[in-house]
């Protein structure tokens, strides 16, 4: 447990120690749906079509997983800072109960409403039965992915970033390998995807349980005298989920809705424009990961300080400086290498040209986009979730509303310029985050200096 006993050192080093192992694992996890979609494209019949139709529904699962995972990570980081592993374990058990109930309820809802979703999405009659069967099989399988997500969140929050990355990587690689072996190798076709997803969840959960057990987060295997586990604080977990998890999940839904509307805005300009934007959006999905990872790592460090009663050390500046450096490189590469990148993403000259045009307009603004992503992630995980959700909604609704009107009058370039402009305006979120953290530090410092005040996981956790 040497990794979980951080001394107060360089803030930048603390952020990097968490972020560096997280980044490749999170990138692989993001690529999983794309890899599975590509694999199903090799299956005969409507497999690729059916899997593609599930992508919007899958985003609902991602929102659920992200919300519960973020909430649990906050609790683990605060408990880790206070040196109370039993509190981290109790929070994990509470969140696991909530996840089990939410996952089961959501699965049942999708199983019952599968035919209705087929009608709403305009699924062709030829693929209707296959889509309904696929949705009913993959819904409970996807719910099993909550297991590795919770285990990884607890490990990350307690400073065990490499172990958390191992859980995420195993789950991701198991899903890709399972689809390749079952759907293609064993000839199960689209019916092999749901078992592969279920195996992914079970494998990640099993590894997570082993690593949590080894780290003492589930209690020692044996101890003298016996150590009784903390009571499971389900009510506290629900309050934390409301403050942290719900805004995080809602932000994912806002992003999903905005992307669907943007595709609709570009529809009048033809399939080449839509496909070109889709290629750029795929690249953008990868580019947001470093910002989310650095923001999450920064929030873990801040919440650890809160749990330890070191409120005077609360500052997001180190994480934001690292983010600025990383995105300065990514922005220049995206802009200067736009033609090469577009050619790799598509062999069609027209589609590649459209992707390059988007990157030429938006690429340099990725510097500010990265800072905004990191800042909002910090804000979500230190108690400012509703504020972060409101700014996310303003950004996406504003970009879609303004960009849509301008595009209708002037063409897709106007939409791209609007997105770049909103990336720049989004820097307001950085200022709001710095202000929020300073106010939080002042409030908790005052609380700690009050008579009989002591650092407490329960007390500091109320702010999250």
């Amino acid at each position: 447990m040497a990794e979980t006993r951080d001394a107060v050192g360089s803030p930048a080093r603390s952020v990097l120690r968490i972020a560096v192992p997280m980044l490749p694992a999170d990138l692989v996890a993001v690529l999983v749906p794309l890899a599975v979609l590509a694999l199903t494209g090799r299956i005969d019949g409507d497999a690729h079509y059916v899997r593609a139709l599930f992508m919007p529904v899958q985003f609902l699962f991602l929102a659920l997983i992200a919300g519960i995972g973020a909430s649990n990570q906050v609790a683990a980081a605060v408990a880790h800072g206070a040196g109370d592993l039993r509190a981290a374990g109790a929070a994990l058990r509470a969140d696991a109960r909530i996840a089990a109930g939410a996952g089961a309820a959501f699965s049942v809802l999708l199983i019952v409403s599968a035919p209705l979703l087929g009608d709403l999405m305009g699924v062709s009659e030829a693929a209707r039965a296959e889509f309904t069967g696929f949705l009913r099989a993959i819904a409970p399988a996807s719910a099993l992915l909550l297991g590795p997500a919770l285990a990884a969140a607890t490990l990350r929050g307690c400073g065990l970033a490499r172990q958390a990355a191992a859980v995420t990587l195993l789950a991701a690689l198991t899903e890709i390998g399972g689809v390749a072996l079952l759907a293609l190798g064993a000839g199960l076709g689209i019916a092999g995807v749901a078992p592969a997803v279920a195996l992914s969840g079970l494998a990640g959960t099993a590894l997570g349980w082993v690593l949590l057990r080894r780290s003492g987060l589930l209690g020692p295997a044996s101890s003298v005298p016996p150590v009784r586990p903390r009571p499971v604080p389900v009510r506290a977990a629900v309050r934390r989920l409301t403050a942290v998890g719900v805004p995080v999940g809602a932000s994912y839904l806002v992003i999903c809705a905005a992307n669907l509307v943007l595709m609709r805005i570009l529809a009048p300009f033809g399939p080449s424009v839509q496909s070109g934007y889709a290629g750029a959006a795929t690249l953008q999905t990868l580019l947001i990961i470093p910002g989310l990872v650095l923001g999450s790592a920064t929030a873990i460090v801040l919440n650890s300080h809160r749990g330890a009663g070191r409120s005077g050390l609360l500052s997001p500046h180190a994480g934001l400086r690292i983010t600025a450096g990383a995105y300065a490189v990514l922005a220049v590469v995206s802009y200067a290498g736009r033609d090469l990148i577009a050619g790799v993403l598509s062999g069609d000259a027209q589609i590649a040209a459209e992707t390059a045009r988007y990157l030429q307009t938006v690429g340099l603004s990725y510097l500010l986009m990265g800072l905004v992503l990191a800042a909002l992630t910090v804000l979500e995980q230190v108690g400012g979730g509703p504020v972060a959700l409101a700014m996310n909604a303003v950004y996406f609704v504003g970009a879609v509303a303004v960009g849509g009107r301008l595009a209708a009058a002037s063409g897709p370039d106007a939409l791209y310029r609007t997105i770049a402009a909103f990336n720049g305006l989004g820097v307001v979120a950085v200022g709001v985050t710095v202000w929020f953290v300073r106010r939080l530090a002042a409030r908790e410092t005052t609380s700690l200096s009050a008579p009989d005040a002591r650092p407490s996981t329960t007390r500091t956790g109320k702010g999250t």
Side-chain angles (χ1 to χ4, degrees), residues 207-255:
L207 178 60
W209 185 87
V210 170
L211 294 176
L212 288 165
R213 188 76 176 172
R214 284 183 181 176
S215 303
L217 290 163
L218 297 180
S222 61
S223 59
V224 180
V227 177
R228 295 182 62 185
R230 280 273 185 92
V232 179
V234 175
R235 288 186 180 179
V238 171
R239 289 196 300 269
R240 188 178 62 251
L241 184 63
T242 302
V244 178
V246 170
V248 170
S251 293
Y252 272 75
L253 296 180
V254 169
I255 295 170

Side-chain angles (χ1 to χ4, degrees), residues 150-175:
L150 272 176
T154 300
L155 290 165
R156 276 196 305 270
C158 290
L160 299 168
R162 288 196 296 272
Q163 289 88 330
V167 172
T168 302
L169 282 171
L170 178 64
L173 295 176
T174 300
E175 182 172 345

Side-chain angles (χ1 to χ4, degrees), residues 218-434:
L218 297 180
S222 61
S223 59
V224 180
V227 177
R228 295 182 62 185
R230 280 273 185 92
V232 179
V234 175
R235 288 186 180 179
V238 171
R239 289 196 300 269
R240 188 178 62 251
L241 184 63
T242 302
V244 178
V246 170
V248 170
S251 293
Y252 272 75
L253 296 180
V254 169
I255 295 170
C256 177
N259 282 326
L260 291 174
V261 175
L262 285 173
M263 290 296 287
R264 189 176 185 86
I265 289 171
L266 293 172
F269 303 106
S272 293
V273 172
Q274 280 186 301
S275 297
Y277 169 76
T282 299
L283 173 66
Q284 202 162 274
T285 299
L286 297 178
L287 288 177
I288 70 174
I289 298 302
L292 298 178
V293 167
L294 287 165
S296 189
T298 303
I300 288 171
V301 173
L302 296 183
N303 282 319
S304 293
H305 286 324
R306 295 176 67 195
R310 299 190 292 259
S311 301
L313 297 177
L314 296 184
S315 170
H317 288 95
L320 293 176
R321 282 196 297 269
I322 295 170
T323 303
Y327 274 90
V329 175
L330 292 174
V332 170
V333 169
S334 299
Y335 176 80
R338 58 188 179 276
D339 292 324
L340 176 61
I341 293 169
V344 170
L345 290 172
S346 176
D348 184 288
Q350 280 188 300
I351 293 174
E354 191 63 33
T355 300
R357 182 158 60 141
Y358 180 91
L359 293 176
Q360 181 178 12
T361 307
V362 178
L364 290 179
S365 71
Y366 285 151
L367 168 60
L368 297 175
M369 181 194 76
L371 281 169
V372 171
L373 287 167
L376 289 177
T377 302
V378 171
L379 192 58
E380 287 171 339
Q381 296 187 28
V382 296
V387 179
L389 174 59
M391 287 193 287
N392 259 325
V394 169
Y395 169 85
F396 285 107
V397 172
V400 167
V402 176
R405 293 180 68 88
L406 293 176
S410 306
D413 276 334
L415 174 62
Y416 303 159
R417 286 193 295 269
T418 303
I419 292 172
F422 270 82
N423 282 344
L425 292 172
V427 78
V428 171
V430 178
V432 171
T433 298
V434 171

Side-chain angles (χ1 to χ4, degrees), residues 11-263:
R13 190 178 299 116
S14 298
V15 170
L16 288 172
R17 187 169 59 248
I18 297 170
V20 169
M22 286 173 60
L23 184 56
D26 282 20
L27 284 172
V28 170
V30 166
L31 288 171
V32 166
L34 300 176
V36 172
L37 189 61
L39 286 171
T40 54
R42 299 174 178 270
I43 302 173
D44 294 333
D46 293 318
H48 186 272
Y49 173 62
V50 170
R51 183 65 180 82
L53 287 170
F54 178 67
M55 293 293 275
V57 180
Q58 186 175 40
F59 224 95
L60 299 177
F61 272 109
L62 289 176
L64 178 65
I65 290 169
I68 294 178
S71 176
N72 180 255
Q73 183 172 287
V74 169
V78 173
H80 168 238
D84 191 348
L85 295 184
R86 288 202 302 153
L92 173 60
R93 291 193 297 275
D95 288 330
R97 290 185 180 184
I98 294 172
F106 194 35
S107 297
V108 170
L109 177 63
L110 288 180
I111 290 170
V112 172
S113 62
L116 176 61
L117 285 172
D119 292 336
L120 291 175
M121 298 177 71
V123 180
S124 66
E125 286 298 328
R128 182 67 58 87
E130 191 171 25
F131 173 77
T132 301
F134 177 76
L135 191 58
R136 286 174 168 168
I138 203 168
S142 296
L144 292 175
L145 297 176
L146 284 161
L150 272 176
T154 300
L155 290 165
R156 276 196 305 270
C158 290
L160 299 168
R162 288 196 296 272
Q163 289 88 330
V167 172
T168 302
L169 282 171
L170 178 64
L173 295 176
T174 300
E175 182 172 345
I176 295 173
V179 171
L181 290 173
L182 297 175
L184 294 174
L188 295 179
I190 193 69
V193 175
V197 172
L199 284 173
S200 169
L202 293 173
T205 301
L207 178 60
W209 185 87
V210 170
L211 294 176
L212 288 165
R213 188 76 176 172
R214 284 183 181 176
S215 303
L217 290 163
L218 297 180
S222 61
S223 59
V224 180
V227 177
R228 295 182 62 185
R230 280 273 185 92
V232 179
V234 175
R235 288 186 180 179
V238 171
R239 289 196 300 269
R240 188 178 62 251
L241 184 63
T242 302
V244 178
V246 170
V248 170
S251 293
Y252 272 75
L253 296 180
V254 169
I255 295 170
C256 177
N259 282 326
L260 291 174
V261 175
L262 285 173
M263 290 296 287

